[in-house]
Amino acid sequence: MVGTREAGSGERSDYSELRSNVSFLGHLLGDTIAAANGPEFLDLVEKIRRLSKSARAGGEDAAHAELLAVLRALDNQQLVPVARAFSQFLNLANIADQHHTVSRQMDPLFSASRNLSGNFEALLEEGVPAESIVDAVAALRIDLVLTAHPTEIMRRTLIHKQTEIGRCLSQLELGGLTRREQEQLHTRLRELIAQIWYGDDFRTERPSPVDEAKWGFAVVEDSLWRAVPEYMRRLDAALQECCGSRLPLEAAPVTFGSWMGSDRDGNPNVTAEVTSEVLWLSRWQAIQLYLQDVTRLVEELSMTVCVPALAEAADGSHEPYRAVLRRLREQLKGDLQTIEAALAGASPDSASLLTREDLWQPLSLCYHSLQACGMQVIADGALLDLLRRVRCFGVHLLRHDIRQDSARHTEALSELTTWLGLGDYAAWDEDARCAFLRQELASRRPLVPPRWTPSEAVAEVLATFAVVARQPREALGAYVISMARQASDVLAVHLLLREAGCPFDLPVVPLFETLDDLSRAREVVTALLADPWYRGHIQGQLMVMIGYSDSAKDAGVLAAAWAQYRAQEELLAVCAASDVRLTLFHGRGGTIGRGGAPAQAALLSQPPGSLEQGLRVTEQGEMIRTKLGWTSLAVKTLALYTSAICRANLQTPPTPRQEWRDLMEQLAAGSCTEYRRVIREEPDFIAYFRYATPEQELAGLPLGSRPARRRGGGGIESLRAIPWIFAWSQNRLMLPAWLGAGAALRQALDAGHAARLREMAAGWPFFATRLSMLEMVYAKADAGLSAHYDACLVPQELHWLGQSLRSALQRDADTVLEISGGETLLADSPWIRESIQLRNIYTDPLNVLQAELLQRQRREPQGVLEQAIMVTFAGIAAGMRNTG
């Protein structure tokens, strides 16, 4: 069966190639399992798969009972390999799915060009002038901020192997391969799958923040370094084709930031020393990549004809391009030595290191010389790609944000003012705090005395500001204040930056996270803009971050989404009235419960004007792999972002009518009330949550450098949003992604608002996207599996709560279908529905097995059970896709 996969053969429907690849990889995995564990074991795995398929297809009680019996009968030696078999199949299915989105059958990398050209052509047909499109592209600012992921389980070596499998699939679909070439690719795939099966899937120790940062650098090296110039080429081609214009040489529509190794909010492992090391490593990685590219150009640019300026720079060398580039290569090598010395503990003079302009000047000189001497085709090759990398990545690779909780700044100032005899800053009201901060910001004398010895916690905060002050401005993105609740939280950071001697203005970004914070965002920003010192300091530019995770955890997805939408509208209006340009920074996650949605739908459903200053958004763990992990995927993602932003800025999204807003207010209030009734007011809820989900086990696994909780205590409020979502997705109830929303929609239907709800779904992208995302959640949730977890793990006296929640799930799904007029969930997305159904056959056994394993582990903990549980975590997350 393995050899039946032919390259480029036969007619295919849109999805037949995907199904073929899934089947092909599945057979290779089966062959590997049989060779490693014996044919009897493969027969056992196949029996479990058949029973799962039968139970899912017809809801057969007998098949489900037999499936449960077989899984319960597994001995300890069988637990991990059975779980791995299903988990690895789901990983391979995901690889095939990712490959499909960029395959030749779907017009692969060319799909990025098609998306861009098609979007520009559609705008032209809608009456948008070509000049406006050119201006929109010139103003384009896409800043993707890579963040670590507390539920990212997969090792980097495994990610590399999966990427290589995707590359082999791409090779196989090329036309004209010889039989020998096909066989070589088949052999390579067998080898990679065997490497995965015989290897270790997971880390045995929790990664450090430096490890996480290195993972982020690897994404740049393996994917983004090639993706950025490829995306720029396709954007340039689309612009030329549709508008007769070219991208300027200096264009930098996309940049990348990072929180890895610099996000200290609730993570005591991220210290000032760690951040300093990560900043050096980031620069080291950039120089390494530039050195490779410059070395290649030295080998290739052997031309002798040049303009006088280049001849002068090359000191009259016969091969002027090589002469200039060799000198640059030596400078890069020198920088590497300097950075390595710094990493070894030395204190080098960072001012001697190359700047972005130092890189740009000789490369652009070579480019313009080639261009002027009739060698445009050479200029537009690898040299142009390198120039575009310089504009995007600079010499620091990524711009690193610093993030810290506002309470840590308050603690530092409280300790300082108390020592100075001024009183306790923490005890002052907002007016007193702001008055003090304004006075100090206006003063020329330092506030922090040299004789003061702060506590260890405060010393760490001050050390972080000192690290910031030592960096070049280009190394940093912004200083983000989590749990920002008042104007003094922002002014405090400006004061601490000044006290550290920071020589440049760094954007200080308040992050509004909870429902209350979002509702008060306008008030806080209004107060800041009324302050003369602050207005003068920001020079007409402001960045504000909108938190999606904590607001959804606080109030439920529907109330949070509306609060985020209103906060953006209000902030845009406040800033416009003060002639301040507002950049909105979106703290989205991959899951629906954390603000996730398909990129284009998410962007086009935002308030009018929200993308005028560009897009700044977090990309996290699994979503980095899914959207940016392969070069072709990254090109497609950047093209989608570009198309959506240009469309949103050129064809303003519809402003919701007042009656829609009024009904949305009712829906938000009703959904929040219902959500909090369950989460906060139901006395049995926390106990049920801890029994029914693997939240306790999740916290003990080596998944990420950041603790699962912000602080001590076992309540929901201290649990971070990501493990909160992850735990509910594992038991398939998906509670945070739907609770409250359907109940509010049902109230509106019962009140006679059916026509208005359908009108909103048809005419308002924001509301349509909410309904679409709810359908996705309902399709992925499974009441039967949730009930199985309850039967295995939850005490009898709490079963009523699980039954109540599952009844609500079914009612809510019916409610959304009533509004949409559909008979089945995802009726207008047949492939997504089919994909979920396919994965369920392999995910269901993992869920059933996980519940059994958790039951055994809670009775009598064993190492083999913990390992098997971790495998099920990874497998279920792979099957559910955007749930980690």
Side-chain angles (χ1 to χ4, degrees), residues 101-102 109 111-112 115 631-641:
T101 66
V102 292
L109 272 177
S111 66
N115 178 290
T631 297
S632 49
L633 288 170
V635 172
K636 180 181 179 182
T637 296
L638 294 174
L640 284 172
Y641 279 145

Side-chain angles (χ1 to χ4, degrees), residues 29-327:
L29 177 62
D31 291 346
T32 301
I33 291 171
N37 298 69
E40 298 83 4
F41 179 76
L42 180 61
D43 290 342
L44 171 64
V45 171
E46 180 59 21
K47 180 180 181 180
I48 294 169
R49 188 194 70 83
R50 285 197 307 270
L51 289 170
S52 176
K53 186 175 182 180
S54 297
R56 175 63 68 169
E60 298 178 19
D61 291 340
H64 184 269
E66 188 177 356
L67 173 64
L68 185 56
V70 170
L71 291 171
R72 281 180 170 165
L74 296 176
D75 60 40
N76 281 357
Q77 284 68 44
Q78 293 173 314
L79 290 173
V80 172
V82 165
R84 289 190 75 220
F86 286 91
S87 179
Q88 291 304 342
F89 176 83
L90 287 163
N91 281 329
L92 292 173
N94 285 346
I95 295 169
D97 204 352
Q98 284 179 298
H99 164 72
H100 173 71
T101 66
V102 292
S103 71
R104 287 178 173 261
Q105 276 66 38
M106 295 293 285
D107 194 14
L109 272 177
F110 302 109
S111 66
S113 296
R114 185 177 64 180
N115 178 290
L116 292 166
S117 297
N119 185 60
F120 293 161
E121 287 168 359
L123 288 168
L124 290 169
E125 290 170 4
E126 293 163 18
V128 177
E131 298 79 15
S132 297
I133 296 175
V134 172
D135 290 344
V137 171
L140 196 62
R141 298 290 180 271
I142 302 171
D143 190 4
L144 306 184
V145 181
L146 312 183
T147 73
H149 203 274
T151 53
E152 175 59 76
I153 294 174
M154 203 174 295
R155 297 174 66 203
R156 205 160 77 194
T157 182
L158 187 56
I159 294 170
H160 171 75
K161 292 179 178 71
Q162 292 183 359
T163 302
E164 182 68 6
I165 290 171
R167 189 194 65 79
C168 289
L169 292 179
S170 297
Q171 291 288 106
L172 274 172
E173 73 177 4
L174 294 174
L177 290 180
T178 65
R179 172 65 64 177
R180 173 67 177 155
E181 288 168 334
Q182 289 180 36
E183 289 174 353
Q184 286 176 334
L185 288 166
H186 289 174
T187 300
R188 177 61 173 155
L189 284 168
R190 288 192 196 95
E191 177 193 1
L192 289 164
I193 290 172
Q195 287 177 7
I196 290 171
W197 185 256
Y198 286 102
D200 193 352
D201 298 345
F202 312 115
R203 298 179 290 258
T204 55
E205 296 181 355
R206 193 177 289 273
S208 71
V210 173
D211 293 332
E212 290 173 333
K214 288 178 178 177
W215 184 89
F217 302 154
V219 172
V220 177
E221 181 179 12
D222 296 342
S223 170
L224 299 178
W225 194 254
R226 292 186 298 277
V228 165
E230 185 63 51
Y231 152 75
M232 296 279 284
R233 286 183 180 280
R234 299 188 184 282
L235 178 57
D236 188 46
L239 203 60
Q240 188 173 22
E241 176 187 342
C242 300
C243 304
S245 181
R246 297 288 302 272
L247 282 175
L249 188 63
E250 297 81 8
V254 60
T255 54
F256 296 93
S258 175
W259 282 10
M260 300 182 193
S262 55
D263 177 10
R264 58 241 313 119
D265 175 24
N267 189 349
N269 300 308
V270 179
T271 62
E273 184 179 354
V274 163
T275 298
S276 180
E277 180 181 358
V278 166
L279 287 161
W280 279 118
L281 285 169
S282 183
R283 196 161 189 172
W284 181 90
Q285 182 67 76
I287 299 302
Q288 279 277 32
L289 291 169
Y290 284 126
L291 189 56
Q292 293 171 16
D293 286 359
V294 170
T295 298
R296 176 188 169 192
L297 289 175
V298 169
E299 293 170 355
E300 293 188 358
L301 299 188
S302 57
M303 292 70 64
T304 58
V305 180
C306 70
V307 297
L310 183 62
E312 182 181 347
D315 297 326
S317 171
H318 177 62
E319 293 181 328
Y321 301 93
R322 279 182 163 172
V324 167
L325 292 169
R326 283 193 183 107
R327 188 183 309 136

